[in-house]
Amino acid sequence: MKLTRLATILILIGLIASACSTRQPAELVLSGSKTEMKVLQPALDSFSRSALLQHIQVLASDEFEGRLPGTKGEELTVNYLVEQFKKLGLKPGTPDGTFLQKVPLVGLTGEPKVVFSHGRQKIQMQVPQECVAFSPRFVPEVKVENSEMVFVGYGIVAPEYGWDDYKGMDLKGKTLLMLVNDPPVPDPNDP
């Protein structure tokens, strides 16, 4: 079972919140537009800095290899968190009776090759030094052949600045070529 990094972080937050809980539920007292927590001190008193630091040291250790999804580090992290839930006496909450929600993951590892051609002339680009190419499509290969290219600057639409890199362009069925990152901010002292 694999979890995304966000799911792992949310589980860790749940673990910390559980460690801070009290036997007595906190009462919410509304006063005007502010919500105050009454009976907060027992929860604060149950919180242990050293216990939290121990969890952080374990999860941040080299053994957990950065906790990247789909790796041994993620598996170790998930197992650690589940074990901590069990030690706290928590009960599983998913429909299948476990602590883990099944989340499908898809990994993309691209090996882009970019060649521009016009007639017999071909220009091969060096990736990523000269260009960046990617596709979020989950297919083994993406090819763009015989497609008209349209340069669209940085691909920005910012009406508040009177900027629209797409204004008046017919882009249907064409391949967009754009600059990566953001445009440089001009220095008013150096026109």
Side-chain angles (χ1 to χ4, degrees), residues 8-182:
T8 302
I9 291 169
L10 292 175
I11 290 171
L12 181 57
I13 290 169
L15 175 64
I16 294 167
S18 297
C20 296
S21 67
T22 65
R23 295 173 192 246
Q24 182 179 35
E27 299 171 29
L28 291 177
V29 179
L30 298 176
S31 64
S33 64
K34 295 181 181 178
T35 303
E36 296 177 348
M37 293 293 290
K38 192 176 178 185
V39 192
L40 184 59
Q41 197 57 47
L44 290 172
D45 292 342
S46 72
F47 184 77
S48 164
R49 289 181 184 172
S50 62
L52 177 60
L53 181 59
Q54 181 182 357
H55 292 304
I56 291 170
Q57 288 172 333
V58 168
L59 293 168
S61 71
D62 289 345
E63 178 186 359
F64 284 69
E65 302 176 352
R67 304 168 306 280
L68 187 67
T71 66
K72 176 186 168 196
E74 180 199 29
E75 187 176 331
L76 290 170
T77 301
V78 170
N79 292 339
Y80 178 82
L81 294 172
V82 168
E83 195 57 41
Q84 297 307 309
F85 287 167
K86 290 176 181 176
K87 285 181 182 177
L88 288 169
L90 299 177
K91 303 290 181 212
T94 59
D96 66 357
T98 68
F99 285 98
L100 305 176
Q101 178 180 359
K102 292 179 182 167
V103 178
L105 293 180
V106 175
L108 297 174
T109 304
E111 295 178 20
K113 295 177 186 163
V114 180
V115 178
F116 295 106
S117 60
H118 181 72
R120 292 183 144 180
Q121 186 178 6
K122 293 186 179 192
I123 300 172
Q124 183 158 350
M125 305 296 287
Q126 298 300 312
V127 179
Q129 296 85 355
E130 296 176 314
C131 70
V132 179
F134 69 94
S135 172
R137 297 184 61 211
F138 306 125
V139 294
E141 184 177 43
V142 175
K143 280 190 174 186
V144 178
E145 295 179 321
N146 300 320
S147 176
E148 184 180 340
M149 297 189 66
V150 179
F151 179 67
V152 293
Y154 285 95
I156 293 175
V157 176
E160 65 275 20
Y161 296 107
W163 191 335
D164 185 350
D165 286 336
Y166 303 100
K167 187 174 184 175
M169 291 191 182
D170 175 18
L171 303 173
K172 186 173 183 175
K174 298 177 183 174
T175 300
L176 304 186
L177 177 64
M178 70 175 63
L179 300 168
V180 295
N181 300 322
D182 296 322

